[in-house]
Amino acid sequence: PPLALFAALMNPSPLRLKSTRTLTSLSMASSGDKQLVVDPFCFRQFSEHEASKEYKGTVFSLSVEDFEAVVNPRYDEANLQDGYAPFCKHIFLKNDIAPDAKSNILTITKDNEHLLRSKYEARNDKEFPVLTRWFPSELVDDDMLPTAKYIDLILYSREQINKENESMGKPGREGE
């Protein structure tokens, strides 16, 4: 079945930055020779789109069209990994796609430990608080973040993307 794609950047490391997350949305096309297309939900992750100026996660300098041109030849159904729901799958690609894609994980070092914050937090009032640690994103410069080693392409079925767009009154991409 056609799939839609989100790409999360990954670089194994011990600590995540609070309030930063990288997702790139592609969706599998139902026509043409492209298997994967970037869904409008994730246009904000590409610098060619105005919404990228407000986006707090990774923004690719690569155009949507160029991104699609790079990931489509790498799509292989045999490499799909199950996601959280039947309409969601993952494909992990080595990141030689976007050298400006930074990981949202930072190793604690002597040079940055003074930026580290911590507090006890519970996700809801029924849980006990646990110690959490993070680097506030406003204190971390891009040059401190490592380039992501892998991109996790998170695929959604075209049917699911259409359902979500319809429920929010949003159009999909032209011709899909």
Side-chain angles (χ1 to χ4, degrees), residues 26 69 88:
L26 290 176
C88 177

Side-chain angles (χ1 to χ4, degrees), residues 123-140:
R123 291 180 293 181
N124 60 55
D125 61 357
K126 293 182 174 33
E127 288 186 350
F128 287 109
V130 295
L131 183 63
T132 60
R133 300 189 305 169
W134 71 94
F135 291 104
S137 56
E138 64 273 7
L139 299 180
V140 177

Side-chain angles (χ1 to χ4, degrees), residues 108-159:
I108 301 168
T109 66
K110 293 266 184 224
D111 292 333
N112 66 23
E113 68 184 353
H114 68 284
L115 302 173
L116 192 60
R117 303 295 183 261
S118 63
K119 76 175 187 178
Y120 284 91
E121 281 186 311
R123 291 180 293 181
N124 60 55
D125 61 357
K126 293 182 174 33
E127 288 186 350
F128 287 109
V130 295
L131 183 63
T132 60
R133 300 189 305 169
W134 71 94
F135 291 104
S137 56
E138 64 273 7
L139 299 180
V140 177
D141 296 323
D142 264 359
D143 64 340
M144 296 170 69
L145 297 172
T147 299
K149 292 180 181 177
Y150 296 93
I151 296 181
D152 174 11
L153 302 180
I154 304 170
L155 307 169
Y156 274 61
S157 69
R158 170 54 42 203
E159 179 183 31

Side-chain angles (χ1 to χ4, degrees), residues 9-84:
L9 303 179
M10 300 174 18
N11 189 36
S13 195
L15 194 63
R16 294 188 181 276
L17 296 176
K18 192 168 189 170
S19 76
T20 60
R21 188 168 179 201
T22 303
L23 289 177
T24 301
S25 172
L26 290 176
S27 44
M28 251 181 102
S30 56
S31 62
D33 58 348
K34 285 186 194 175
Q35 292 292 311
L36 306 171
V37 294
V38 175
D39 188 78
F41 172 78
C42 289
F43 283 177
R44 65 191 177 167
Q45 290 184 250
F46 294 86
S47 61
E48 68 185 305
H49 292 275
E50 189 66 28
S52 70
K53 293 176 182 164
E54 305 285 320
Y55 187 62
K56 301 290 185 203
T58 296
V59 175
F60 298 105
S61 58
L62 198 64
S63 72
V64 168
E65 184 178 343
D66 290 344
F67 188 82
E68 291 173 354
V70 172
V71 299
N72 269 284
R74 297 176 186 201
Y75 173 74
D76 181 350
E77 192 172 337
N79 294 329
L80 291 176
Q81 302 293 316
D82 287 340
Y84 74 96

